[in-house]
Amino acid sequence: MRLSKYFLPILRDNPKEAEIVSHRLMLRAGMIRQEASGIYAWLPLGFRVLKKIEQIVREEMDRAGAIELLMPTLQLADLWRETGRYDAYGPEMLRITDRHKRELLYGPTNEDMITEIFRASVRSYRELPKILYHIQWKFRDEQRPRFGVMRGREFLMKDAYSFDVDEAGAKLSYNRMFVSYLRIFARMGLKAIPMRAETGPIGGDHSHEFIILAETGESGVFINKDVLDLPIPDETIDYGGDLTPIIKQWTSLYAATEDVHDAARFEAETPEDKRVNTRGIEVGQVFYFGDKYSKPMKSLITGPDGVDRPFEGGSYGVGVSRLLGAIIEASHDDKGIIWPESVAPFHVGLANLKVGDAATDAACEKIYAALTKAKVEVLYDDSDDRPGGKFAKLDLIGLPYQIIVGPKGLAEDQIEVKTRATGAREVLTLDGVIARFAG
């Protein structure tokens, strides 16, 4: 993509309303624009990252055997009345009445609707287990939206729902989602720690939040620091096999949010030199809630004994849009964002330091054409900005690699390549640059 044809509204100054690094950098880098309190337009650069994150989530859900569908953003209030949640949920729910006086709501979550879909179609234990998921926009009318996409009112979420014939089967589904979450966040360059947590309005008695340690996080957390060194399952993981050893490994060390923290247990289980009390950012949560929804909605399945019973369920959420903020909080410096390669909006930033110089223009065009042909995502800064402005812009938006082409170096067939994460620089020939990135 040529910058001269792209839409990238960079801000020079820090926005006054931005309280944390991720919000500030997302606004400055032209990734988002606030349209109302807690509601953002996703501009092209931010939208590219959002789609990358969404795709990683989708790939890992599919790998774990989940099946994708898409439910609407608006839901009938009557569904929520069946489960008793319509009046109990609170003012965070946006309630709507249409022209026919039907009561609707902008969904903050989908347990009630997915249960209604399930009960209309599934009757026998032979059709189980199932895990269904979608990636959809949600709305929760936060009283004090803040921190940009970290605590907005409208947000993109992946929510999955499991259906099993009994508690034992439901726990297996829970374990599959638990392990898939470890992989999802690791693929984004994040160390997300599963911690015992409250279930909140979702319900149930068994839940883990996946939290990234960050001083700007909204949650107080207590962990044994050894949990930071636990291995992540690789892509060969067999989700149909026994995942219990992985679950035990990750849950045997103390890790809890402040809501369920047990100080006496923490001190008894964790050596003093391994106790960590800090803050964290929640990026996902998994719940086992049994028949909380199937029982009041009379979603029954016939078991192997011929008896009809409510299914056992769980739900599993990932904050897709929130992850952009979390990644930036975990990966930035005083110059700007440092994107992990897996979610970067572009892989390479190509800077032409003297637009209009025949040799420099020709070299950049050759690199741009070769990388584009090789399907390398490249943002070519062909603007008339001064070199210092181009360097600052590339550092701000945080692309993994920068290819810097200037007339002086080019006269000696030298082109500089900078790695954004480390600041390391190397000098290659024109053909060497092409071989490095497009070979």
Side-chain angles (χ1 to χ4, degrees), residues 2-5 350 352 355 365 380-384 390:
R2 296 175 188 273
L3 189 58
S4 60
K5 298 184 181 301
L350 173 61
N352 184 336
V355 173
E365 289 294 338
Y380 175 21
D381 189 345
D382 58 348
S383 69
D384 292 326
K390 295 191 176 191

Side-chain angles (χ1 to χ4, degrees), residues 273-347:
D273 64 338
K274 295 184 182 296
R275 295 173 196 163
V276 175
N277 173 205
T278 184
R279 303 197 69 77
I281 300 167
E282 179 200 340
V283 290
Q285 189 164 6
V286 291
F287 305 85
Y288 162 66
F289 48 65
D291 61 4
K292 175 180 171 63
Y293 299 93
S294 58
K295 189 173 183 179
M297 294 186 73
K298 297 181 175 58
S299 181
L300 306 178
I301 56 170
T302 303
D305 55 4
V307 176
D308 290 345
R309 56 173 63 84
F311 72 80
E312 294 281 319
S315 72
Y316 317 91
V318 168
V320 176
S321 53
R322 164 179 273 241
L323 272 164
L324 276 86
I327 291 169
I328 293 171
E329 291 292 330
S331 185
H332 68 273
D333 60 17
D334 58 358
K335 296 179 181 179
I337 303 166
I338 303 173
W339 288 116
E341 291 189 35
S342 60
V343 297
F346 294 92
H347 188 67

Side-chain angles (χ1 to χ4, degrees), residues 178-214:
F178 187 107
V179 171
S180 73
Y181 276 32
L182 294 174
R183 285 193 43 75
I184 284 171
F185 302 124
R187 284 187 59 186
M188 299 176 195
L190 297 172
K191 188 72 171 187
I193 304 167
M195 303 188 187
R196 290 184 296 107
E198 281 192 335
T199 57
I202 303 299
D205 58 3
H206 187 53
S207 178
H208 288 86
E209 285 184 5
F210 286 75
I211 289 181
I212 299 161
L213 301 187

Side-chain angles (χ1 to χ4, degrees), residues 77-78 96 305 326 429:
D78 286 346
I96 303 165
D305 55 4
T429 65

